[in-house]
Amino acid sequence: MRRLLLTAAVVVLSAPTAALASGETLPTETADPSPTATPTATTTPSTTPDPAAAFTVDDAQLRWGLNDESNNAAFAPGTYNFLSAGQVPDPGSGGRTIRNGRWSHTDAVAWWASRGKVRIEKRTADGRFVAATFAGLSTDASGARITSPTSGRFSGHQVVVDGGRGSVDPRAGTATVSWTGSFSVVHYSGMSYFVVSDPRLVVTRSEARLTGTLSGYASDRDDPTRWTAMPRQTVTLANLPRSQVALPARGGFTATPAYAGVRYDAPAAGIAQVRSGPHWGAFPSGFLGWLDRAGSAAYWYSSGGATDAYKTASPLAVSWSADDPVAPPSGPAQPGSTTTVPASPSAPAAPLPPPPGAGGQPPG
């Protein structure tokens, strides 16, 4: 087509030149105006993404401190409750403790600040989060040592898991995100602990929950030598109020797991739940059932002990991208601050012991 238009132009320019050479007068030609093309209606594609469109994630982040009791001093002198990245290795027998990040009886490494996609971070006095150190597990945000389990001061650590993969559908109100990795919840500096592996978020139009696979060992408060491997079991770690779980196109959400007023029917040999006072409640029953067989369920529901206020579930955060996370949530009480335990005639000065021979908390 471009070649045809060039040939016609040559002809028009040559004709006037020949007419002028013969002395003829050229008539004035009026060119017919080119017809105006009728504009065709076109649709300009929108550059604004549909905020309700479904999308996938491949590096989502989960952040959770579980509860203040998991960041507290323990009742056995010189021991603490804390979090570790990865799976704490089997000490081989009960009654063992972790000192300076190693099992005290074998010197084997037993604590990590980071393992794979999992890491532990500590809140500082100015609200920032920094990589955990073993020394920081026993200090509050200001660096002061936590000397009493009833002081209301906590180490303020949170588990952070990156690399979550899944899909989010804001219009349908559903989401599924899975993470790969493990972290350990250590009590009494290792006399009792369990491992959470491969957490998974499932959101439907009516509910939201965080699940994980538990593993670890059963211990006994009355028999510290008891140390029995527990079967792995996938349980619900947290039930999230559906009204708190937003599914935006960017960012993510924070939510506080259900705890207040949640009932737990402990087995006959366990510690009965106390259902009075401002802090009574429980973590999900499936989670507690496994922990009851492991001997440490009373850390996760109101049992009438002096630290019941610290068992309340901490808020968690889910970010669609680890590179653009939502603001980290604080715990039920700001780490490094003090929380006053309400006076109660039914609250003893220490956790209630289980019946003789029943699985329970390690010696304190």
Side-chain angles (χ1 to χ4, degrees):
M1 179 63 70
R2 293 186 63 182
R3 286 184 181 179
L4 291 175
L5 290 174
L6 288 172
T7 303
V10 172
V11 173
V12 171
L13 290 173
S14 300
T17 304
L20 289 173
S22 61
E24 297 179 2
T25 302
L26 290 175
T28 302
E29 296 182 359
T30 302
D32 294 332
S34 300
T36 302
T38 303
T40 303
T42 59
T43 303
T44 304
S46 173
T47 58
T48 303
D50 181 358
F55 58 93
T56 60
V57 296
D58 57 15
D59 190 22
Q61 182 183 95
L62 169 67
R63 177 184 286 272
W64 193 21
L66 281 78
N67 62 9
D68 281 339
E69 185 67 353
S70 299
N71 288 279
N72 196 12
F75 280 91
T79 64
Y80 292 86
N81 304 330
F82 53 80
L83 304 171
S84 172
Q87 301 186 35
V88 170
D90 179 10
S93 59
R96 304 300 185 178
T97 57
I98 301 171
R99 306 289 181 180
N100 298 318
R102 296 174 179 270
W103 285 117
S104 58
H105 65 300
T106 64
D107 203 37
V109 176
W111 179 86
W112 294 272
S114 177
R115 297 284 279 180
K117 295 287 187 179
V118 183
R119 64 185 183 276
I120 309 298
E121 293 185 349
K122 179 182 177 72
R123 184 186 290 272
T124 61
D126 60 4
R128 295 180 301 112
F129 276 89
V130 299
T133 64
F134 192 81
L137 301 177
S138 58
T139 64
D140 65 12
S142 68
R145 194 167 186 82
I146 306 169
T147 57
S148 168
T150 59
S151 67
R153 307 183 73 85
F154 315 104
S155 65
H157 288 81
Q158 294 183 354
V159 177
V160 183
V161 190
D162 292 340
R165 304 176 66 89
S167 60
V168 182
D169 190 338
R171 181 175 286 110
T174 61
T176 302
V177 183
S178 301
W179 289 267
T180 301
S182 301
F183 62 89
S184 300
V185 184
V186 181
H187 289 155
Y188 284 82
S189 291
M191 294 184 192
S192 174
Y193 74 86
F194 63 92
V195 178
V196 178
S197 299
D198 303 336
R200 177 182 174 88
L201 172 72
V202 177
V203 181
T204 68
R205 295 186 68 88
S206 59
E207 64 178 5
R209 64 186 184 274
L210 181 71
T211 66
T213 300
L214 303 182
S215 60
Y217 300 86
S219 58
D220 192 327
R221 178 183 185 274
D222 296 320
D223 181 8
T225 63
R226 181 194 178 204
W227 196 250
T228 307
M230 289 284 293
R232 293 171 61 88
Q233 182 178 339
T234 299
V235 302
T236 296
L237 303 172
N239 285 311
L240 307 176
R242 186 61 184 84
S243 60
Q244 295 184 21
V245 180
L247 300 177
R250 294 187 59 183
F253 66 88
T254 61
T256 301
Y259 181 92
V262 175
R263 299 168 66 93
Y264 172 61
D265 295 320
I271 302 173
Q273 183 186 32
V274 172
R275 297 170 183 167
S276 61
H279 303 292
W280 83 268
F283 274 73
S285 59
F287 178 41
L288 294 178
W290 190 94
L291 290 172
D292 213 303
R293 295 189 295 275
S296 58
Y299 289 108
W300 307 92
Y301 67 91
S302 52
S303 61
T307 59
D308 273 5
Y310 313 149
K311 300 173 185 178
T312 301
S314 298
L316 59 78
V318 174
S319 304
W320 305 143
S321 172
D323 293 330
D324 185 25
V326 298
S330 61
Q334 282 289 344
S337 66
T338 56
T339 298
T340 302
V341 181
S344 171
S346 63
L352 292 173
Q361 298 176 1

